[in-house]
Amino acid sequence: MANIRVKDWTKDKLRKIRDAESHSSYDSVVKTLLKDRKIAKYADDASDTVTGESVQSQDADIDKPFDDLTVLAELTGNHDDVLFLWCPNCGNELVHLTVERPLGCSVFEMECQRCLTHLDSQAIVAIELQYPIEQKMIEGQLQADLKACVIDYWDRTLRAANGTLDTEAPAARLVWQFDQYHEQFAWDWPTDVPTVSFVPGVTYRNTVTDERIEAVEAVTENRNAMDAYTVRRYTADGDVVSDQLDSSAIVDRIVNRELVVAEQAVESTKPKT
């Protein structure tokens, strides 16, 4: 078979995709791109047959930053027939699925083969066909979008926990679960979004009282619930007061979306279980 010449720029982009997705060869990269192109063409052809209505990738009442990225737990409305499930921790494609509408997914768990993180539907991102995966990978923006999608979902889920949260899990369980994921992902939490976790070494500001609280260390080793912590309280007068917050007090502040990150941690001192 004759060789195909490609420019150095194209070689560089193919190499980046090969390394990012752990392909065994350039041939595997090209086959994957051709497969994605075929699926995208199918989606475009299918959308052309729809008249008088627009295709929605999520329920119309969900206000989220990405139309075609959705955390699996809330993907219940109209969607494409093909979903690509991705790990937000390392940016690895977990699996792509052919699904039926409407989608019902009460329990879904799997392990990422790249970073070995155990994920459930609260931390898996479903990418739909309209999302430009190839372009985002070339631009180096894919993983940032996955992270932003998950952070937005966790924030909205906890904001709803005091009202009409559509889940059987109580608020304390959700906070513990999100705290565990945040610890595993080792993300620097954005300062403009209230925290979903309580991390040793991080200083938080209570947006209700304007008090600054530094998490020092966990004083319990709960396996399935938030721990209690020793903390330092920084008063408006400049005094530093040592104190302890029990797990229920921490959960209340997180669910009420009161705590924002004021200073990031240098390293975590949270005991492993």
Side-chain angles (χ1 to χ4, degrees):
M1 183 178 294
N3 293 330
I4 299 175
R5 289 180 172 272
V6 295
K7 294 183 179 293
D8 290 340
W9 182 90
T10 305
K11 289 181 182 178
D12 181 62
K13 299 304 179 184
L14 290 174
R15 185 175 65 254
K16 289 181 179 178
I17 295 175
R18 181 197 64 185
D19 295 341
E21 297 186 11
S22 302
H23 288 280
S24 59
S25 65
Y26 289 114
D27 181 68
S28 174
V29 174
V30 173
K31 286 180 179 178
T32 300
L33 294 176
L34 290 174
K35 177 198 71 176
D36 291 345
R37 182 178 184 275
K38 183 177 180 181
I39 294 174
K41 184 177 185 302
Y42 164 78
D44 290 340
D45 291 343
S47 64
D48 289 339
T49 64
V50 179
T51 58
E53 62 180 355
S54 60
V55 176
Q56 298 293 328
S57 62
Q58 74 287 329
D59 295 336
D61 58 346
I62 298 179
D63 182 16
K64 59 192 186 70
F66 302 98
D67 289 338
D68 306 312
L69 297 182
T70 309
V71 171
L72 188 59
E74 69 175 350
L75 189 65
T76 57
N78 293 334
H79 55 79
D80 299 312
D81 295 327
V82 178
L83 291 176
F84 301 87
L85 303 186
W86 287 71
C87 171
N89 183 36
C90 66
N92 178 49
E93 182 182 355
L94 302 169
V95 66
H96 61 269
L97 304 173
T98 301
V99 296
E100 298 179 353
R101 298 186 240 188
L103 175 65
C105 185
S106 58
V107 177
F108 189 95
E109 297 182 357
M110 68 184 307
E111 184 177 80
C112 176
Q113 295 303 305
R114 178 186 290 174
C115 66
L116 304 181
T117 303
H118 186 80
L119 305 165
D120 71 1
S121 60
Q122 303 275 4
I124 294 174
V125 178
I127 299 183
E128 301 186 59
L129 291 173
Q130 289 82 3
Y131 181 81
I133 296 179
E134 297 171 30
Q135 177 186 341
K136 293 289 188 175
M137 291 184 68
I138 291 172
E139 295 172 350
Q141 185 62 32
L142 174 60
Q143 193 161 353
D145 285 358
L146 295 173
K147 175 180 176 179
C149 175
V150 171
I151 286 176
D152 171 75
Y153 167 74
W154 289 348
D155 179 46
R156 287 187 292 103
T157 299
L158 290 178
R159 288 184 187 278
N162 284 329
T164 58
L165 183 62
D166 186 19
T167 178
E168 296 179 358
R173 174 75 180 184
L174 280 172
V175 171
W176 173 79
Q177 184 178 15
F178 295 164
D179 177 77
Q180 293 295 298
Y181 277 131
H182 183 216
E183 180 182 9
Q184 292 178 62
F185 296 168
W187 288 344
D188 282 343
W189 194 258
T191 58
D192 59 340
V193 179
T195 186
V196 300
S197 61
F198 205 69
V199 180
V202 175
T203 299
Y204 300 94
R205 181 176 66 86
N206 189 316
T207 57
V208 176
T209 64
D210 207 36
E211 179 186 38
R212 292 164 65 90
I213 303 171
E214 179 187 355
V216 178
E217 63 178 352
V219 294
T220 57
E221 296 185 8
N222 298 329
R223 296 189 62 85
N224 298 301
M226 288 292 288
D227 288 315
Y229 280 82
T230 56
V231 300
R232 296 188 186 98
R233 298 180 181 274
Y234 297 87
T235 69
D237 298 331
D239 296 331
V240 180
V241 180
S242 295
D243 198 359
Q244 181 172 313
L245 287 178
D246 62 27
S247 60
S248 62
I250 293 172
V251 168
D252 286 345
R253 285 163 172 78
I254 291 176
V255 171
N256 292 333
R257 316 308 290 132
E258 295 178 8
L259 302 179
V260 295
V261 173
E263 296 179 16
Q264 298 283 358
V266 176
E267 61 178 321
S268 175
T269 59
K270 186 172 184 178
K272 304 295 182 180
T273 59

